[in-house]
């Protein structure tokens, strides 16, 4: 999980988001910021003792090619039978914990279990990167210092409160800790001692990890008792330009246009129609709670897969894959993104990943060219550009 929003406590002193230069000088700057926030010199000396840059962290940050996979391939890779079976076992094992979570926070068990599965395989693979070194390395790197510099300051506060050991605490390459992979600022804000042992132990206590994840999702806007994602069927003559997260209509309007649920009934809420692999692939209505998933992870394909897996864990059928048109490989996607940038579109990084900004640009160009405007880039579109 990588989140962009941070508590104000850790933003106030980092407006300039300094990065780069001498690593030792950079650490001195972090110490100065932490001192201004009330940390003692002794605490800072202990926290930073032996801190080092970790080149493996930078390599991991630059090599996220898994998100280049299209939705169907990505979902089939992540949703293995083993994860489904283990999910069912954990749902049964921690049924009372999930009951308490749903009562206290209104976050469904399927949603938490999906994140638990994807982030760490139910706690089995939590990462072996030193958390302090990972965060300091990424803060020093100038790609996203505005995210990671405040997280170093939050990690110092977490250490001061006894919530981590800078020498031995490990986790993911991006500094997330525990079974559901939470960053230090989120642990400070949302950590819950659910097992009553007097400590928030996200690495070793499933109840603590699940309750903390639920509290965070609720704080991010999760609405109890509301759906998040529902598979639907769409008429062949549909106006595909209405698909995408930017178009939000009441569910009754989608029904009037021929959109129908594969199972159950449509909600009464507003929703967006999502076609992760175009108009010939699977189709979903995304309700307001679906947007909360993007606060957990910014990857469209990850969020789609997590949202779908959560519905599977709560009894939904396997999605109808349909027969999507051939998509683009990584190099072709980068070529497409460069062509879109040349035409004035903001696609974010030219990284070969079909993210939200690239999808919006693709849909605009499809409309202009008279192609089905379903936001799914194909070789035909690339050739036209």
């Amino acid at each position: 999980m990588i989140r962009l929003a941070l508590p104000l406590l850790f933003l106030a002193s980092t407006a300039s988001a300094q990065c780069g230069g001498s690593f030792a000088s950079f650490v001195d700057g972090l110490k100065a910021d932490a001192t201004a926030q009330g940390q003692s010199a002794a605490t800072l000396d202990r926290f930073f003792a032996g801190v080092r840059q970790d080149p493996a962290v930078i390599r991991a940050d630059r090599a996220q090619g898994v998100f280049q996979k299209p939705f169907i391939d990505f979902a089939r890779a992540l949703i293995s039978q083993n994860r489904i079976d283990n999910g069912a076992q954990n749902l049964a094992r921690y049924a009372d914990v999930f009951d308490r979570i749903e009562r206290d926070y209104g976050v469904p068990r399927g949603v938490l279990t999906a994140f638990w599965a994807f982030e760490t395989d139910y706690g089995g693979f939590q990462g072996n990167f030193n958390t302090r070194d990972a965060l300091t390395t990424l803060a020093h790197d100038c790609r996203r210092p505005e995210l990671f510099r405040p997280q170093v300051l939050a990690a110092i506060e977490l250490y001061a409160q006894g919530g981590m050991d800078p020498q031995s605490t490990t986790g993911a390459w991006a500094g997330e800790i525990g079974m559901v992979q939470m960053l230090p600022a989120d642990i400070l804000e949302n950590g819950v001692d659910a097992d009553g042992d007097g400590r928030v132990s996200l690495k070793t206590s499933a109840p603590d990890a699940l309750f903390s994840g639920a509290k965070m999702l609720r704080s991010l806007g999760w609405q109890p008792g509301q759906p998040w994602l529902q598979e639907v069927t769409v008429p062949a003559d549909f106006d595909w330009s209405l698909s995408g997260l930017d178009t939000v209509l009441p569910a009754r309007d989608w029904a009037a246009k021929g959109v129908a649920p594969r199972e159950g009934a449509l909600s009464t809420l507003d929703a967006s129609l999502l076609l992760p692999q175009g108009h010939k692939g699977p189709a979903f209505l995304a309700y307001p709670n679906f947007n909360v998933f993007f606060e957990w992870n910014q990857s469209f394909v990850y969020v789609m897969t997590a949202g779908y897996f959560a519905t599977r864990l709560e009894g939904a059928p396997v999605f109808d894959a349909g027969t999507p048109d051939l998509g683009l490989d990584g190099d072709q996607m980068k070529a497409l993104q460069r062509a879109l940038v040349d035409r004035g579109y903001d696609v974010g990084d030219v990284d070969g990943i079909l993210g939200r900004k690239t999808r919006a640009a693709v849909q605009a160009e499809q409309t202009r060219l008279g192609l089905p405007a379903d936001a799914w880039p194909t070789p035909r579109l690339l050739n036209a550009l």
Side-chain angles (χ1 to χ4, degrees):
M1 175 201 71
I2 295 180
R3 289 224 301 110
L4 300 182
L6 288 161
L8 293 177
L9 170 64
F10 302 106
L11 291 175
S13 64
T14 60
S16 59
Q18 308 100 308
C19 63
S22 160
F23 188 68
S25 297
F26 175 76
V27 171
D28 287 341
L30 288 171
K31 288 182 177 180
D33 276 356
T35 298
Q37 292 183 352
Q39 300 295 346
S40 70
T43 294
L44 296 173
D45 287 344
R46 289 193 297 270
F47 182 86
F48 285 110
V51 67
R52 69 179 188 90
Q53 287 179 280
D54 188 345
V57 168
I58 300 299
R59 289 196 296 271
D61 186 42
R62 302 296 194 269
Q64 299 187 63
V66 64
F67 295 118
Q68 293 181 356
K69 288 185 177 182
F71 167 70
I72 294 173
D73 293 345
F74 190 86
R76 287 173 175 169
L78 263 64
I79 305 173
S80 64
Q81 189 59 50
N82 183 62
R83 277 186 170 151
I84 292 172
D85 293 343
N86 285 342
Q89 292 171 10
N90 279 304
L91 285 168
R93 179 181 180 184
Y94 295 103
D96 62 327
V97 173
F98 287 117
D99 287 343
R100 290 163 53 205
I101 286 171
E102 291 180 350
R103 181 194 67 219
D104 292 352
Y105 298 110
V107 178
R109 60 196 67 204
V111 171
L112 286 169
T113 304
F115 283 127
W116 192 13
F118 289 175
E119 296 290 343
T120 64
D121 259 335
Y122 307 106
F125 301 94
Q126 298 185 33
N128 56 8
F129 290 87
N130 178 278
T131 298
R132 176 203 59 193
D133 292 350
L135 289 172
T136 308
T137 297
L138 289 166
H140 177 262
D141 183 48
C142 286
R143 194 162 90 88
R144 288 179 293 174
E146 74 286 351
L147 169 62
F148 290 106
R149 187 181 180 96
Q151 291 295 346
V152 178
L153 300 176
I156 295 169
E157 177 62 23
L158 190 62
Y159 163 61
Q161 295 183 13
M164 68 169 285
D165 180 348
Q167 307 298 328
S168 62
T169 296
T170 57
W173 63 264
E176 305 101 330
I177 301 168
M179 295 189 186
V180 294
Q181 300 283 270
M182 292 174 65
L183 287 165
D186 293 314
I187 297 172
L188 287 171
E189 192 172 12
N190 299 295
V192 178
D193 172 24
D195 59 16
D197 67 353
R199 298 179 300 121
V200 177
S201 306
L202 304 189
K203 290 176 68 70
T204 58
S205 170
D208 286 7
L210 294 168
F211 260 83
S212 298
K215 183 181 178 184
M216 188 178 74
L217 287 170
R218 182 64 187 273
S219 73
L220 293 172
W222 188 273
Q223 295 301 306
Q226 294 186 9
W228 56 97
L229 195 68
Q230 182 179 27
E231 189 180 3
V232 294
T233 60
V234 186
D237 60 352
F238 191 80
D239 179 1
W240 305 112
S241 68
L242 294 174
S243 64
L245 287 165
D246 292 335
T247 299
V248 181
L249 298 173
R252 63 178 179 273
D253 289 1
W254 292 116
K257 297 177 186 299
V259 175
R262 273 196 72 201
E263 187 178 75
L266 294 182
S267 170
T268 59
L269 300 170
D270 291 351
S272 296
L273 177 67
L274 302 184
L275 309 170
Q277 280 189 236
H279 65 289
K280 296 181 182 178
F284 301 88
L285 281 185
Y287 296 103
N289 271 339
F290 182 74
N291 293 318
V292 178
F293 283 71
F294 284 106
E295 297 289 343
W296 193 286
N297 191 296
Q298 292 290 298
S299 166
F300 180 86
V301 70
Y302 178 97
V303 165
M304 279 296 311
T305 304
Y308 160 69
F309 187 39
T311 68
R312 279 288 307 279
L313 290 167
E314 299 216 343
V318 177
F319 63 75
D320 180 0
T323 56
D325 288 329
L326 179 68
L328 305 179
D329 62 27
D331 289 338
Q332 289 174 319
M333 189 69 74
K334 289 178 182 178
L336 175 73
Q337 289 174 320
R338 285 191 289 269
L340 292 169
V341 170
D342 289 343
R343 284 157 178 77
Y345 292 101
D346 175 15
V347 301
D349 294 334
V350 176
D351 53 11
I353 297 173
L354 181 59
R356 186 169 182 170
K357 290 182 177 180
T358 300
R359 295 182 71 90
V362 165
Q363 193 168 36
E365 282 300 290
Q366 288 172 326
T367 299
R368 183 181 68 83
L369 294 167
L371 302 173
D374 57 8
W376 176 241
T378 63
R380 180 184 178 191
L381 175 63
L382 179 59
N383 291 336
L385 294 179

